[in-house]
Amino acid sequence: MDGETMTIKGACPQDCPDTCAFIYTVKDGRLIDVKGDPKHPVTRGRLCIKLNDFTAHHYNPDRILYPMRRVGPKGAGEFERITWQEALDEIKRRWTAIIDEYGSQAIMPCSYLGQQGVLNGISVGDAFFNRLGSTVAEKTFCGVGRDVGTHLSIGASEGVDLESTVHSKYIVLWAMNTLSTGSHHWPFIDEAKRNGAKLVVIDPLRSKTAAQADWHIRIRPGTDAALALGMMNVIITEDLLDHDYVEKYTLGYEELAARAAEYSPERVSAITGLPVEDILTFAREYATSGASFIRLGTAVERHRNGGDAARAISCLPALTGAWRHVGGGYLGISLNAFPMKWDAMCRPDWIRESVRVFNLNSLGTALLEAQDPPIKSLMVYNSNPAVQAAEQERIKKGLARDDLFVVVSELFLTDTARFADILLPATMQAEQTDLMFSWGHFYFSYNNKAIEAPGEAVPNTQLFRLLAETMGFNEPEWARTDEEMIRDFIDWNSPFMEGITLEKLKETGYMRVRIGDKDLRAPHARGNFPTPSGKCEFVSSTAVHGNFVPPPFRAGYNGFQDGGYIDPVPNYMPPFESPESSPELATRFPLNIVSPAAHGFLNSQYANEPKQMRRQGDTVVIMHPADAEARGITEGDAVRVFNDRGEFVGSALVSNDTMPGVVASYLGHWASNSRSNSAVNSISSDRQANLGRAPTFSDNLVEVTKVQAV
């Protein structure tokens, strides 16, 4: 019917804990509005600043709409349009030649969570590349170090229900800028505060969230484990622990107490930069508030000791008995409540014997140094590593190799896409079907396809069907529809899925997994931790197996795990780079740098949208007044931030929002849009944290100098 307008249920695709429910409005086949669904119990109809002009994002004139072939130098971004058949033929010709000469492990995928859906997200290409026999890419950009750490203590716990936090009495947002990176939790925090709760934020930077806290604890980067151990010291010394809970529901108290005894408040003060009195007050308030709740962000993992920091922090609720209370305990990730069949998604049974693994945090090293065989082709999708990954200059140098065949599936000509030999057009969320889990709340959300894709863009699922057909794969899995894949990828018989069907999800848009009443749920009031002992393990019974990355983050593969030593009891190690741990390096590069998530971008997504660029502003370098004055830098000056790995340029923002010795610059700006053709990860090391092979973006030393006018 001409002029017909319809509304369609959808869900946000982004790598964010909130997973908002959408309502698409479509007229004459064109998307005319995207709003939040006001009936969703968590997201309540409000979209964040990143997504509140999502309609216009679909019609951005810079979208890639057709397959393209590079015609200029690598990195120049010069392409010509070709057909899909020409693109697929070129990929087959090049990959076949590489396999014949070097073997299939000379090909490697590079992807992450540019899409977060069950279908089009982190695992979408794994089955294809396992079938091809490629090198396995380990995807630990975000969250894995934290979650491996907490797995050692509380197992695969679903954690506290975000909706239950209205009952919390003491809320600690640790390493999490909620107002910028998960803002739909804020109304629940507000309600808890109206009911008398205190809000504490732990962050080196005075973030938007820290500015709204009752108490901002400004900690030195990389010292979180020391603070947690210092809190334990106070709790144990002053007998503030819950003896009954510890006796019944924990394992290894004596060993933990011995470790905590090493971290007196005075020692912890020297490590963290916090006053002794603040450490004492924080420990006492946390331990005596009953329903104390800790929400731990991924930023905690981004230094050498990140995994152990998460492990130590996750032990605190068991020490004080906070788990007894509704709204008391810990939340890192809610993903364990979603019964996904990862092996069906990734097909690890197709992995060939002795396949090697490269961690994508060291992508530059893989591209430049891998041997037997070297990496001869890289396929990038759901990711923009030239901005998001460490050692940016080495990545760009690797991508620029003339003998590296690069295939990129993208929405826009990103910094990574500029190096592609073949560029393929991808769809946006309104143009595809998907089922969305959440790593912040307990609702599955269904994204109904609302409009046809523009040009010749295809969803990731269709992309890998085409590639499978091109490479001659004839297994029946490649013929499945998206709906059939959803049915195969979820354990619909799981107790979590009681009362949920695919048909109901399509109709309602979202359904809560069977996790318990939000106003009654206290998941570990009587222990029942998903650990080998069934208890919170202060001494981990699984540490003996060594360091690991969960198989879903390595294409389902469990071979060639790191296996490095894990201390059975949480401990503190100083950062790789700090004035205290590396004084010689600090004579040249005396400032720690942190690179928090931007308020206006989602990682590097939306950083090309003019409206978002205006909202976020240009690259800034936040400096304490004492550090700025010592360098002759004033507000607004162009400054150069550098170390031996690289450099970038930004505008000085002189502020007490950071502490002396620490500078900050927001992640996500595209290098191609910057005055120095580089961004903050040009200075980042590719060293990995102690657990889960997490990145160390907050464990780097730099110097800052004023850029002299020419």
Side-chain angles (χ1 to χ4, degrees):
M1 182 184 297
D2 185 49
E4 182 181 6
T5 300
M6 67 181 84
T7 58
I8 299 166
K9 299 280 189 176
C12 183
Q14 305 300 169
D15 180 16
C16 167
D18 291 7
T19 314
C20 291
F22 283 166
I23 297 177
Y24 299 119
T25 302
V26 177
K27 183 175 182 179
D28 294 333
R30 183 176 176 85
L31 186 67
I32 61 171
D33 195 20
V34 181
K35 283 186 166 41
D37 188 334
K39 295 181 180 179
H40 192 284
V42 173
T43 60
R44 301 179 177 181
R46 183 181 59 82
L47 299 183
C48 72
I49 192 172
K50 305 167 183 65
L51 272 294
N52 63 12
D53 54 357
F54 198 44
T55 306
H57 192 58
H58 281 72
Y59 296 107
N60 185 310
D62 294 332
R63 276 192 68 177
I64 298 166
L65 300 180
Y66 303 97
M68 311 281 278
R69 178 190 288 122
R70 177 174 62 86
V71 294
K74 281 203 169 182
E78 298 172 5
F79 297 91
E80 65 177 3
R81 179 178 169 181
I82 57 176
T83 67
W84 263 103
Q85 192 58 55
E86 288 173 314
L88 293 169
D89 287 347
E90 178 72 2
I91 291 168
K92 181 177 183 179
R93 182 181 68 80
R94 296 291 295 272
W95 280 358
T96 300
I98 289 168
I99 292 169
D100 288 346
E101 183 172 356
Y102 297 97
S104 57
Q105 291 187 66
I107 301 169
M108 186 171 80
C110 175
S111 68
Y112 195 57
L113 279 168
Q115 298 268 0
Q116 193 174 272
V118 171
L119 291 183
N120 292 292
I122 193 167
S123 299
V124 62
D126 290 350
F128 173 82
F129 283 105
N130 287 343
R131 175 66 175 81
L132 187 68
S134 74
T135 288
V136 169
E138 206 168 50
K139 299 167 275 194
T140 61
F141 288 122
C142 181
V144 177
R146 175 196 61 187
D147 299 330
V148 168
T150 58
H151 192 277
L152 295 169
S153 56
I154 61 175
S157 170
E158 300 87 24
V160 173
D161 188 340
L162 180 150
E163 295 180 81
S164 298
T165 58
V166 297
H167 303 291
S168 303
K169 298 305 179 186
Y170 198 81
I171 297 174
V172 182
L173 301 178
W174 201 318
M176 185 164 187
N177 180 12
T178 301
L179 285 173
S180 291
T181 61
S183 61
H184 295 88
H185 188 190
W186 198 255
F188 299 91
I189 294 172
D190 261 348
E191 184 173 345
K193 289 182 68 176
R194 289 194 298 272
N195 294 333
K198 183 172 183 176
L199 174 63
V200 180
V201 173
I202 302 176
D203 196 317
L205 187 67
R206 188 173 184 266
S207 65
K208 290 180 181 295
T209 305
Q212 298 298 316
D214 296 307
W215 186 11
H216 174 205
I217 297 177
R218 196 191 309 264
I219 191 173
R220 282 181 186 150
T223 64
D224 306 83
L227 177 56
L229 290 163
M231 292 174 68
M232 294 177 190
N233 180 292
V234 176
I235 291 166
I236 293 168
T237 301
E238 299 188 1
D239 197 25
L240 302 176
L241 67 160
D242 184 328
H243 290 277
D244 181 67
Y245 194 94
V246 168
E247 181 181 351
K248 291 179 178 176
Y249 307 128
T250 73
L251 180 71
Y253 168 72
E254 296 298 332
E255 292 90 337
L256 183 70
R259 178 59 50 81
E262 302 172 17
Y263 291 89
S264 67
E266 292 75 19
R267 183 187 178 197
V268 172
S269 175
I271 293 170
T272 62
L274 300 173
V276 169
E277 193 56 41
D278 283 0
I279 296 165
L280 292 168
T281 300
F282 181 37
R284 291 164 181 163
E285 290 183 351
Y286 172 80
T288 58
S289 294
S292 294
F293 167 70
I294 297 173
R295 188 167 192 190
L296 187 61
T298 58
V300 76
E301 74 178 16
R302 293 177 179 174
H303 54 82
R304 179 188 186 187
N305 198 48
D308 251 18
R311 180 158 60 134
I313 292 164
S314 68
C315 289
L316 287 166
L319 193 64
T320 64
W323 285 113
R324 293 187 187 275
H325 307 279
V326 178
Y330 167 91
L331 174 62
I333 188 169
S334 61
L335 181 60
N336 295 312
F338 297 89
M340 287 179 289
K341 297 165 71 172
W342 293 106
D343 283 1
M345 298 163 72
C346 302
R347 295 307 302 264
D349 55 310
W350 286 346
I351 296 176
R352 301 173 192 178
E353 188 175 352
S354 300
V355 168
R356 68 181 176 182
V357 178
F358 278 131
N359 189 285
L360 291 178
N361 288 309
S362 297
L363 178 61
T365 298
L367 295 179
L368 294 174
E369 299 180 15
Q371 297 295 326
D372 301 321
I375 300 298
K376 302 296 287 186
S377 180
L378 184 76
M379 181 169 175
V380 182
Y381 54 99
N382 281 358
S383 182
N384 184 14
V387 172
Q388 289 298 120
E391 297 214 336
Q392 189 178 95
E393 297 308 311
R394 284 174 62 79
I395 289 175
K396 290 195 288 188
K397 184 177 180 181
L399 290 172
R401 283 173 37 202
D402 286 333
D403 66 335
L404 180 72
F405 178 57
V406 179
V407 180
V408 177
S409 171
E410 252 299 351
L411 300 167
F412 299 101
L413 191 61
T414 63
D415 288 354
T416 304
R418 298 177 73 87
F419 289 89
D421 293 289
I422 296 293
L423 191 54
L424 302 173
T427 48
M428 288 192 185
Q429 186 75 334
E431 303 153 6
Q432 62 192 20
T433 296
D434 217 329
L435 178 65
M436 316 305 295
F437 56 81
S438 171
W439 50 272
H441 58 65
F442 292 133
Y443 292 83
F444 256 133
S445 303
Y446 193 87
N447 186 74
N448 289 279
K449 179 180 176 180
I451 58 173
E452 294 301 320
E456 296 175 4
V458 300
N460 288 334
T461 50
Q462 179 62 10
L463 169 62
F464 286 103
R465 290 187 194 103
L466 291 170
L467 288 172
E469 180 182 12
T470 297
M471 298 306 293
F473 302 165
N474 55 14
E475 292 83 2
E477 285 83 354
W478 309 113
R480 290 176 300 188
T481 64
D482 286 350
E483 181 174 317
E484 288 170 335
M485 293 168 73
I486 290 173
R487 293 188 185 279
D488 286 349
F489 291 170
I490 304 299
D491 181 2
W492 297 93
N493 294 318
S494 165
F496 288 119
M497 299 299 287
E498 184 179 342
I500 299 176
T501 66
L502 185 56
E503 290 69 28
K504 287 182 181 178
L505 275 168
K506 287 182 180 182
E507 179 184 352
T508 62
Y510 56 86
M511 295 187 75
R512 180 179 164 92
V513 297
R514 192 63 168 247
I515 197 74
D517 189 308
K518 61 184 174 60
D519 295 316
L520 300 174
R521 182 175 180 269
H524 303 303
R526 294 179 176 83
N528 297 316
F529 292 93
T531 59
S533 66
K535 300 180 178 184
C536 175
E537 298 193 349
F538 297 149
V539 175
S540 173
S541 61
T542 57
V544 66
H545 302 301
N547 190 24
F548 70 100
V549 171
F553 294 92
R554 54 202 323 262
Y557 190 41
N558 208 27
F560 292 96
Q561 288 278 12
D562 180 282
Y565 173 75
I566 296 176
D567 190 327
V569 183
N571 203 359
Y572 166 73
M573 291 185 293
F576 289 118
E577 297 185 13
S578 72
E580 294 73 30
S581 61
S582 45
E584 185 175 339
L585 183 67
T587 61
R588 295 191 295 135
F589 308 116
L591 302 172
N592 285 114
I593 185 169
V594 294
S595 51
H599 188 68
F601 307 151
L602 198 296
N603 297 320
S604 67
Q605 290 178 280
Y606 309 104
N608 64 318
E609 285 284 359
K611 186 181 290 187
Q612 297 301 99
M613 294 167 73
R614 290 193 299 272
R615 288 167 172 164
Q616 182 62 36
D618 293 333
T619 301
V620 296
V621 179
I622 306 171
M623 303 184 68
H624 189 272
D627 293 324
E629 183 179 3
R631 291 160 176 79
I633 293 169
T634 58
E635 180 84 11
D637 283 346
V639 294
R640 172 178 172 249
V641 183
F642 64 96
N643 57 23
D644 288 334
R645 291 180 286 269
E647 63 179 62
F648 68 97
V649 172
S651 298
L653 197 166
V654 180
S655 169
N656 286 305
D657 285 351
T658 188
M659 64 179 71
V662 177
V663 298
S665 189
Y666 295 108
L667 179 69
H669 290 280
W670 291 13
S672 54
N673 292 335
S674 75
R675 67 185 94 180
S676 57
N677 197 34
S678 58
V680 66
N681 274 335
S682 61
I683 57 84
S684 296
S685 166
D686 68 352
R687 285 184 300 233
Q688 293 155 16
N690 67 320
L691 294 177
R693 307 193 74 182
T696 54
F697 295 130
S698 297
D699 195 340
N700 299 281
L701 287 175
V702 297
E703 179 57 290
V704 180
T705 59
K706 184 175 180 177
V707 175
Q708 301 302 320
V710 179

